[in-house]
């Protein structure tokens, strides 16, 4: 009876985020016709209510106020980094549009990329950028404005292009040797990045091929429109895309995403001033008009802060560790890999931060690995790859994740609209599960 009550207390700590997810899903799937502003307002209201509930049920600790834990969660370095990326990306998007850089990038793309390979080309370009940068948020912040303008010039659904941006960004984040998820997974399991990459590349390669095939054969190009819109590449077009090219090149030198976006804004403003596209006052005003002109960004920043505070309370309650510690049993290879994938997947759904999900699941997976019979143990590099993959998949599927919120907000659509076009995430999940079930 005592054990049962202990389990109930642990599960109770998880209910605030469950309440938020249920309320969020209820509004999105039962009220599809309500306005974007009302939906954002309801989402924030649900987040606040759920967080107050989380504070109420959080176990009291000596000399520490419950609200202090909540605020500490909001103030984590990773959370503040995300909010600053949101802020700078909205300014970057604003400046690119005002200076005409997006239109120039599309004009060059139309000249250089065959119409039939437009979508796969976009997917691979973003994946390369995110791999070099080691950040899915950076890829989404840089390329979503481009995707929005592309949707205006073609008949492609913004949600389709958004799905490509998010999927390609998650691919790059997953493959990158400098991403925080790669570093976390390899460090905790004591494996080299090279070993993890060796297993990772096999799984992501087939997932990428499937995604490219879907984009090529299920979304035919609007060739007539593209040919009609071609205007040739001018000197000004080449200069105007330098903000894109500069952050792409700097990404290969491991420059932090915040520094990249800040530099990109300065370069975009400088080029705009040189060609007379904007005035100095207009450029300086973009640091206000960018985020404030896009009210969705403010909504996203507050939502990420509240969810992060709530997730931190769940983490500090130790309920997840208490629940998972009861499942330390001997497993066979397939069971161990599947359990590891499920554990980090569920943790990421609750914590909404994939690096944190890996940090919490990693030690448990390592204990499972040590307790398994030697002939049944999978290679730790493979487990590191599975942890990284299944911590990234929810980031590109759950509508309340920062990646989904940033992309959908910049596109002006609902996060749930992206789900029908999350081809890479679905392909990666299927390919990895097939590998778990059928590999020897």
């Amino acid at each position: 009876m005592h054990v049962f009550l202990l389990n109930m207390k642990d599960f109770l700590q998880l209910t605030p985020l469950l309440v938020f997810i249920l309320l969020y899903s209820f509004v999105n799937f039962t009220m599809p016709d309500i306005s974007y502003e009302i939906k954002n307002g309801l989402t924030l209201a649900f987040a606040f209510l759920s967080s107050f509930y989380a504070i109420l049920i959080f176990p009291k600790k000596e000399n520490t106020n419950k609200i202090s834990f909540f605020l500490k969660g909001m103030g984590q370095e990773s959370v503040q980094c995300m909010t600053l990326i949101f802020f700078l990306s909205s300014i970057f998007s604003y400046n690119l549009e005002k200076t005409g850089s997006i239109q120039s990038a599309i004009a060059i793309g139309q000249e250089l990329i065959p119409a039939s390979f437009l979508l796969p080309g976009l997917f691979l370009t973003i994946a390369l950028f995110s791999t070099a940068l080691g950040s899915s948020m950076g890829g989404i912040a840089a390329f979503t404005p481009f995707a929005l303008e592309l949707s205006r010039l073609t008949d492609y659904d913004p949600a389709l292009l958004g799905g490509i941006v998010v999927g390609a960004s998650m691919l790059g984040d997953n493959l990158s040797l400098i991403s925080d998820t790669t570093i976390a997974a390899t460090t905790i399991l004591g494996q080299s990045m090279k070993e993890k990459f060796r297993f990772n590349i096999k799984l992501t390669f087939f997932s990428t091929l499937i995604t490219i095939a879907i984009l090529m054969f299920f979304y035919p190009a609007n060739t007539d429109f593209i040919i009609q819109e071609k205007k040739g590449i001018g000197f000004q077009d080449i200069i105007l895309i330098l903000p894109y090219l500069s952050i792409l090149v700097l990404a290969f030198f491991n420059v932090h995403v915040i520094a990249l976006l800040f530099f990109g804004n300065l370069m975009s403003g400088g080029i705009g001033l040189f060609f007379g596209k904007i005035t100095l006052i207009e450029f300086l005003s973009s640091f206000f008009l960018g985020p404030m002109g896009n009210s969705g960004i403010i909504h996203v920043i507050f939502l990420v802060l509240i969810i992060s505070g709530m997730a931190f309370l769940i983490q500090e309650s130790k309920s997840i560790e208490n629940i998972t510690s009861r499942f330390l049993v001997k497993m066979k290879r397939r069971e161990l890999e599947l359990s590891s994938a499920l554990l980090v997947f569920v943790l990421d759904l609750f914590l909404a931060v994939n690096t944190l999900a890996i940090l919490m699941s990693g030690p448990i997976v390592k204990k499972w690995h040590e307790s398994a019979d030697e002939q049944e143990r999978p290679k730790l590099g493979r487990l590191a790859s599975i942890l990284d993959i299944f911590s990234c998949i929810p980031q590109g599927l759950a509508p309340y994740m920062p990646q989904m919120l940033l992309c959908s907000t910049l596109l002006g659509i609902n996060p749930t609209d992206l789900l029908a076009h999350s081809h890479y995430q679905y392909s990666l999940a299927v390919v990895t599960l097939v590998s778990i079930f059928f590999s020897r």
Side-chain angles (χ1 to χ4, degrees), residues 375-425:
Q375 62 270 24
E376 289 289 345
R377 292 177 187 171
K379 292 183 184 288
L380 281 171
R382 180 174 167 85
L383 280 180
S385 175
I386 289 172
L387 284 182
D388 198 349
I389 286 171
F390 277 93
S391 72
C392 284
I393 289 173
Q395 298 290 316
L397 288 178
Y400 56 89
M401 294 295 180
Q403 288 85 348
M404 297 284 278
L405 290 171
L406 176 60
C407 184
S408 61
T409 301
L410 291 176
L411 289 174
I413 60 175
N414 196 296
T416 54
D417 295 339
L418 298 172
L419 294 178
H421 305 287
S422 301
H423 303 301
Y424 175 73
Q425 291 90 305

Side-chain angles (χ1 to χ4, degrees), residues 180-181 184-185 188 311 315 320 324 340-365 387-388 390-392 394-395 401:
D180 48 3
T181 54
I188 289 177
Q315 177 193 349
I320 293 174
T324 54
S340 301
L342 182 62
L343 174 63
V344 75
F345 184 88
V346 172
L347 284 178
D348 193 42
L349 287 176
F350 276 98
L351 300 173
V353 182
N354 51 356
T355 307
L356 184 55
I358 291 174
L359 291 173
M360 293 187 69
S361 61
I364 298 166
V365 170
L387 284 182
D388 198 349
F390 277 93
S391 72
C392 284
Q395 298 290 316
M401 294 295 180

Side-chain angles (χ1 to χ4, degrees), residues 273-295:
L273 288 170
F274 179 78
F275 284 112
K277 300 281 186 179
I278 55 173
T279 65
L280 180 60
I281 296 298
E282 286 175 329
F283 170 64
L284 294 176
S285 299
S286 69
F287 285 80
F288 174 82
L289 295 173
M292 297 307 295
N294 189 343
S295 60

Side-chain angles (χ1 to χ4, degrees), residues 231-276:
K231 298 175 182 177
I233 302 174
F235 172 75
Q236 190 175 111
D237 289 321
I238 295 172
I239 300 299
L240 283 172
I241 67 164
L242 285 180
Y244 272 121
L245 294 179
S246 63
I247 63 174
L248 179 60
V249 172
L250 288 174
F252 283 95
F253 292 93
N254 298 342
V255 179
H256 195 281
V257 59
I258 289 176
L260 278 181
L261 287 172
F262 189 75
F263 178 77
N265 274 309
L266 291 179
M267 178 168 273
S268 180
I271 292 172
L273 288 170
F274 179 78
F275 284 112

